[in-house]
Amino acid sequence: MSFEFLSPAAFGAGLLGLAAALYALHRLRVRHREVIVPTTIFWKQAMDESMARKLTASFRHPRAYAFVLAILGLLLLALAGPKLGAGKGRSYVVLLDGSANMVRGDHRDRDLALTLDVLDVLPRDRTQFVFAGATPYLVLGAGESTLLFEERTQDLQPEASPETITQELLRLARSTAASGGKATTVYVIGDVKLPGALAAHLAERSGDRLQIARVRRAAIAEEPNAKTNTALDPGIVALGVAPAASGEWGAMDLWIESVGNNRPSIAGLNEGRNLEASAADGVAATTGWWVRDLGLDELGDRIRVTATGAVTEGPSAFPHDNQAELIAPITRGTIPVWLGPDVPGAFRDAVAADPGLIISELPGNAVVISRTAAPGARAHWLLQEASSLDASVVATGGKTSFGTIFNSLGLGYLESGDADAAPITFAAQAGDAPALSMDGALFAAPFELIEARAFPLLVGFSARWLAGTETMLPFAAAGHELVSGDFGPGLTDASGRLYPATGAGLVPPAAGDYEGLTASLLSRSTSGAGAPADLIGATNSSALTELRLSDLKRAGGQDLSTWILFLALLLLLAEWHTYRTGRMP
Amino acid sequence: MATLAFEELFDPHFMESLHRLRLVAGRVPIGGRFAEQRSKAMGHGIEFRDFRPYSPGDDLRAVDWNIYRRLGRVFLRLFEEMEDLPVYLMPDLSASAYVSEAGPSNSELTPRAHAGLRCAMALAAIALGQHDSVGVFPFSNDVRVAIRPQSGAGRLVTFAKILSTLGPDDDSDSRQTDIAQSLQKFGAMNLRAGLLVMISDFFDPAGIEAVCKALGRTRHQLLLVQLVRKGDRTPDPVQMSGDLRLVDAETGDAQNLSITKELLERYTESYDAFESGLTDFATRRKCGLLQLDVDDPVVDQLATLFEGGRYQV
């Protein structure tokens, strides 16, 4: 048995407190009701006889005490919300989809009501409720009463963002595995599409401590605002950014995907300019357009895309996909690099060619590339003797984020003339004093790493990693993949393709912090264009366990409060009967 | 409320219902007035009782001449002397008989002394109606004379008036029951042996043993009328429940207690011992004992004592 509103310790403490308080009350001197009787001789004899037969006399009414304590104890027990067979020790998380998809029809109200029903059948002391909007938000913590539900959810609206439930599930899997804590069951509510392989993936990541299931009502109502004619009401279904394919450092490429015949217009907020012409001139892809080389400085900090010719009124109107916003990447500053006198000249050429790097005259506050350390430097890239490397990390192992960079450049192995391919080793140290140590011999004969085509990128990425400057990551909302690569927790579909957790703040392969990106987009299915094949959720979605509320009621345990209150009532009647029959004062 | 109204005592229906009841004594002691009870004296009554030889000085009218003619010896015919039976009524006027007790629904019951006085009035009416002499000696801790023994049906109104004036004493000492002392004082009055009717609840602080001992010392025939209530043996669980401070109506002593089933069982055991003590005494002494429920009609209960309308003293 578990308690919904009180922990067992709190219940025990309350019961002890009650017992003590009642005991004190019973020890209090009572005011006797005065009755004049013809004689007290029989009562005196009875009292004398009773006293002679009584073992103890310190406690006046043990039966009344037992009755009252039992009744109050039962009331306290009922107040604690006891449940039978509610999965002892297991924690529960209810995840409500708060993405833009939930603006459809009455989905938000419907699923909020379902969430409340789900919370009512789960043990409150071990259940959290998280609203997965643009940023997952803990609405009700474990132990908080559902009486707070209405107050805390009245202002909750679906946020203009893709789903974040996948991200939250991965976080839960990581934290559950890391803490080695309680087994957790996650109930997902909402329209979010989750791949069937996700459950097994999460179980594997969490060491089989995390289970996931979707909860639905027995019957789902018709969606009143389902859009049927996309030609009449165009909408935006994806928006993303990527580093400019042209290589221009201060620019980016914008990915727009829409349904309908008209191309959307683009505007930068906060002093931005109207980029409608650029959008119209964008390069058409299979499902959308690339708008190339948008200057970051021109755009401002937000990018807004508006569907041209969108219908705002009438039965076919679906205004939620008429406009999308994207927080623009932080403007990338240039990184000062100081080159030591003893490094090969190829380094200077690579730094000079990189628009994000500038050659500094002083080592202070710069990324130093040298054979020896320089005081006051921001970070060091040291070309040392192989024997003096403190630590060796096999680049192909990908054990650090820098290793990921190394691998992405195809530099994991280097042929050394007549020798077999051998792994390149380096020492990478993140933190307050980032440092990268490599064998300086790699850049000379016979290895001649400076001759590799990827050498400039190695210099650029290494300098950025050391400086902790963000790397603009290819990003798209609504579950679209712009680039493949393991940049953090991702998913693998049935075909073995790896997807990053899009729509989330990804951890970049850099030593510094990185601010995540969000976008305001509806999914393609919401906009009436059907589920595209490359949506993550479209793959094998039927494999995820689905539960009805009735199933959950069985799993959530039987509520014993009513029975306990009934038992308390019976005890009260028994007490009354005992009192009336003179067996208790 | 303390005293009983004259109309309640001298109710025509009440008096009418007593006409069929009679007190019959076996042999009343010598020395009474001519009445209807057979006495131990031989005299000029109607009913023949015995013969005895003539002795000089005897009344010649009593000589049985038929015997003298057959036997040649002179015998006197002796007849029963019919005299009165002295009836001494001792109603209890102690505080216990006048305490206000709560009945069902907290209604106030009439004091049990009222039933006692009505019983006394009934017995007085029966005795006066058959020319016996009746005296009233109310008692509590002491006995006093309310009506000296007197006879004559015409005295009935006087009896009713006097009984209606009887009530509890204001003096707190006089409100306590002391049957032994009262009987001792009554015995000291040296009255002619008769029927002593003690009408009381017998709640004497000295205990039932002391009461029985004192009653055993009296030379009168005894009729004990015990004033009882239904709640005496088994108290009303509604009235007598919870934490109570019981105050003795006579002594004023208070007893704090918490009513429990066990305590009530002890109480009933104690009361049963009291009752059996009184019953055993009545059985040993071969005297009458009537447990008069004070909340029921007096005459109906009194009639149970008079089998066939007669109570043999």
Side-chain angles (χ1 to χ4, degrees):
Chain A
M1 186 172 67
S2 62
F3 299 118
E4 187 175 3
F5 302 117
L6 288 179
S7 66
F11 171 73
L15 196 60
L16 279 178
L18 269 179
L22 286 173
Y23 183 81
L25 284 174
H26 272 247
R27 297 285 293 178
L28 287 180
R29 194 162 169 265
V30 298
R31 184 184 182 86
H32 290 82
R33 182 162 55 94
E34 190 167 288
V35 177
I36 298 176
V37 292
T39 182
T40 56
I41 51 177
F42 308 124
W43 292 110
K44 283 179 180 172
Q45 290 171 2
M47 281 293 287
D48 293 343
E49 187 69 16
S50 296
M51 293 294 284
R53 296 186 188 187
K54 203 179 276 186
L55 184 63
T56 59
S58 57
F59 201 62
R60 296 189 309 111
H61 307 311
R63 190 173 292 171
Y65 176 77
F67 263 118
V68 176
L69 183 60
I71 290 170
L72 288 182
L74 285 174
L75 290 179
L76 183 66
L77 189 62
L79 196 67
K83 294 202 170 188
L84 197 61
K88 189 176 183 182
R90 177 170 285 274
S91 295
Y92 298 90
V93 177
V94 178
L95 277 178
L96 175 61
D97 184 14
S99 66
N101 283 328
M102 295 296 287
V103 300
R104 302 170 67 196
D106 63 345
H107 286 205
R108 180 251 182 200
D109 296 337
R110 181 196 68 189
D111 286 336
L112 269 179
L114 176 60
T115 303
L116 183 58
D117 291 341
V118 169
L119 289 174
D120 280 339
V121 299
L122 293 176
R124 282 298 318 130
D125 61 323
R126 288 179 277 125
T127 304
Q128 293 180 322
F129 166 39
V130 176
F131 181 78
T135 303
Y137 163 63
L138 180 65
V139 182
L140 285 178
E144 288 191 297
S145 170
T146 50
L147 296 174
L148 299 168
F149 182 87
E150 187 175 351
E151 179 190 341
R152 292 192 181 175
T153 57
Q154 60 185 357
D155 295 330
L156 278 185
Q157 294 295 337
E159 296 183 34
S161 76
E163 61 90 6
T164 54
I165 282 184
T166 307
Q167 170 199 2
E168 182 64 10
L169 286 171
L170 291 166
R171 188 194 65 77
L172 282 170
R174 281 197 305 273
S175 62
T176 306
S179 66
K182 291 180 182 176
T184 303
T185 298
V186 181
Y187 293 115
V188 176
I189 299 173
D191 296 339
V192 60
K193 294 183 182 303
L194 297 172
L198 184 62
H201 180 77
L202 293 173
E204 183 184 351
R205 273 183 174 268
S206 63
D208 284 331
R209 287 197 180 88
L210 192 71
Q211 294 180 357
I212 177 174
R214 180 193 291 278
V215 183
R216 289 191 191 278
R217 286 198 181 277
I220 298 178
E222 286 294 320
E223 296 167 358
N225 289 337
K227 187 174 170 183
T228 55
N229 191 345
T230 58
L232 292 176
D233 185 14
I236 300 163
V237 295
L239 185 65
V241 292
S246 63
E248 187 178 345
W249 179 250
M252 66 175 185
D253 292 346
L254 184 67
W255 168 253
I256 304 170
E257 190 175 327
S258 66
V259 292
N261 298 325
N262 297 323
R263 292 191 179 188
S265 62
I266 305 170
L269 299 181
N270 296 343
E271 303 174 2
R273 61 184 175 83
N274 192 325
L275 299 176
E276 186 177 354
S278 300
D281 295 337
V283 180
T286 308
T287 56
W289 296 267
W290 280 108
V291 182
R292 303 291 186 189
D293 294 330
L294 288 174
L296 289 171
D297 295 335
E298 298 173 4
L299 279 171
D301 57 0
R302 281 175 189 262
I303 305 162
R304 174 178 292 170
V305 180
T306 306
T308 306
V311 180
T312 55
E313 293 180 355
S316 62
F318 188 64
H320 303 296
D321 61 352
N322 291 348
Q323 186 169 278
E325 279 187 20
L326 187 69
I327 297 175
I330 296 170
T331 303
R332 294 181 292 182
T334 51
I335 302 169
V337 178
W338 183 80
L339 295 163
D342 45 2
V343 297
F347 279 91
R348 181 171 295 274
D349 297 338
V351 172
D354 193 322
L357 308 179
I358 58 169
I359 296 174
S360 172
E361 298 301 325
L362 296 172
N365 201 31
V367 174
V368 170
I369 304 176
S370 175
R371 292 189 181 276
T372 55
R378 184 174 177 181
H380 287 91
W381 183 359
L382 300 176
L383 308 179
Q384 296 177 311
E385 296 295 328
S387 58
S388 63
L389 289 177
D390 291 337
S392 257
V393 178
V394 179
T396 50
K399 290 182 180 176
T400 67
S401 57
F402 184 77
T404 307
I405 296 174
F406 220 71
N407 283 332
S408 67
L409 297 176
L411 296 176
Y413 291 86
L414 194 67
E415 292 184 4
S416 56
D418 54 349
D420 291 333
I424 296 175
T425 58
F426 62 87
Q429 176 185 337
D432 294 335
L436 183 64
S437 300
M438 296 182 72
D439 183 3
L442 292 173
F443 301 95
F447 301 106
E448 297 289 2
L449 189 56
I450 56 175
E451 298 296 331
R453 285 187 294 177
F455 175 71
L457 290 176
L458 174 65
V459 174
F461 283 166
S462 299
R464 285 174 178 80
W465 185 85
L466 287 166
T469 303
E470 67 173 82
T471 299
M472 183 192 288
L473 292 173
F475 174 85
H480 285 256
E481 174 203 24
L482 292 185
V483 69
S484 64
D486 188 4
F487 290 110
L491 300 172
T492 307
D493 69 4
S495 63
R497 205 160 52 135
L498 186 67
Y499 291 93
T502 55
L506 301 180
V507 180
D513 293 328
Y514 179 76
E515 188 171 337
L517 297 175
T518 58
S520 55
L521 297 172
L522 295 174
S523 74
R524 214 175 158 76
S525 58
T526 306
S527 292
D534 55 348
L535 280 180
I536 288 178
T539 57
N540 199 21
S541 62
S542 60
L544 195 64
T545 306
E546 288 207 2
L547 298 175
R548 298 286 181 263
L549 187 60
S550 54
D551 302 328
L552 208 61
K553 280 178 179 173
R554 286 193 292 273
Q558 185 184 4
D559 189 356
L560 298 176
S561 299
T562 307
W563 290 105
I564 289 172
L565 285 175
F566 183 68
L567 186 60
L569 183 65
L570 284 180
L571 267 181
L572 193 65
L573 289 175
E575 185 194 22
W576 180 80
H577 176 74
T578 312
Y579 165 75
R580 291 288 296 180
T581 51
R583 280 176 285 185
M584 193 179 69
Chain B
M1 192 67 188
T3 58
L4 196 57
F6 172 78
E7 291 76 16
E8 292 180 84
L9 279 171
F10 201 72
D11 178 22
H13 298 291
F14 177 68
M15 305 309 288
E16 177 66 25
S17 60
L18 299 170
H19 281 171
R20 56 192 172 83
L21 305 178
R22 288 185 61 79
L23 282 170
V24 179
R27 290 276 184 242
V28 296
I30 299 170
R33 293 180 300 102
F34 177 75
E36 297 178 359
Q37 306 285 359
R38 289 162 40 172
S39 76
K40 294 177 180 174
M42 308 285 189
H44 304 286
I46 299 170
E47 292 207 16
F48 170 78
R49 185 170 163 190
D50 205 355
F51 295 99
R52 73 169 170 82
Y54 173 79
S55 60
D58 286 340
D59 187 358
L60 290 175
R61 287 176 296 181
V63 173
D64 190 336
W65 296 110
N66 290 329
I67 292 178
Y68 176 73
R69 190 179 60 208
R70 286 204 300 266
L71 303 177
R73 295 174 63 181
V74 179
F75 284 89
L76 290 184
R77 296 172 67 183
L78 299 177
F79 292 89
E80 284 191 333
E81 187 75 5
M82 305 298 279
E83 295 184 355
D84 64 331
L85 171 68
V87 177
Y88 307 113
L89 302 173
M90 289 185 68
D92 185 354
L93 299 185
S94 67
S96 64
Y98 278 98
V99 69
S100 295
E101 296 176 77
S105 309
N106 283 328
S107 58
E108 190 175 340
L109 300 173
T110 56
R112 56 183 80 199
H114 287 190
L117 291 173
R118 287 169 71 84
C119 179
M121 184 65 201
L123 290 170
I126 293 168
L128 291 173
Q130 57 192 39
H131 307 294
D132 291 328
S133 60
V134 180
V136 179
F137 302 88
F139 78 98
S140 52
N141 69 327
D142 200 353
V143 71
R144 62 188 171 93
V145 181
I147 304 173
R148 290 191 173 281
Q150 49 192 271
S151 60
R155 303 277 184 183
L156 206 52
V157 175
T158 309
F159 268 74
K161 282 182 179 173
I162 293 175
L163 286 176
S164 67
T165 61
L166 295 180
D169 284 327
D170 293 333
D171 180 15
S172 60
D173 290 339
S174 304
R175 298 169 60 141
Q176 295 185 22
T177 303
D178 192 340
I179 292 176
Q181 181 171 309
S182 300
L183 285 175
Q184 188 182 2
K185 291 282 183 66
F186 179 76
M189 292 179 188
N190 208 17
L191 296 169
R192 178 175 160 234
L195 176 64
L196 174 60
V197 182
M198 177 159 278
I199 306 168
S200 172
D201 51 20
F202 296 98
F203 292 153
D204 190 323
I208 192 64
E209 292 82 8
V211 170
C212 293
K213 199 172 176 183
L215 286 170
R217 283 198 290 265
T218 184
R219 59 191 176 88
H220 301 280
Q221 290 290 325
L222 284 173
L223 172 58
L224 307 178
V225 179
Q226 184 187 4
L227 303 176
V228 298
R229 277 216 153 95
K230 293 182 180 66
D232 285 349
R233 184 174 186 276
T234 51
D236 182 4
V238 176
Q239 300 292 333
M240 303 297 283
S241 61
D243 298 308
L244 299 179
R245 179 182 176 82
L246 300 182
V247 179
D248 193 308
E250 294 190 1
T251 63
D253 291 343
Q255 181 79 33
N256 290 336
L257 43 81
S258 300
I259 305 295
T260 62
K261 183 188 174 192
E262 290 74 21
L263 185 66
L264 286 174
E265 286 174 354
R266 301 284 99 73
Y267 170 87
T268 304
E269 285 177 12
S270 180
Y271 186 82
D272 286 344
F274 162 79
E275 270 200 349
S276 64
L278 198 60
T279 309
D280 291 347
F281 169 77
T283 306
R284 285 198 311 271
R285 179 67 185 255
K286 294 178 180 164
C287 65
L289 171 62
L290 172 65
Q291 290 185 325
L292 184 73
D293 191 323
V294 297
D295 299 319
D296 291 339
V298 170
V299 177
D300 293 345
Q301 298 178 77
L302 206 54
T304 60
L305 199 62
F306 290 76
E307 292 181 13
R310 295 159 56 94
Y311 175 69
Q312 182 75 42
V313 178

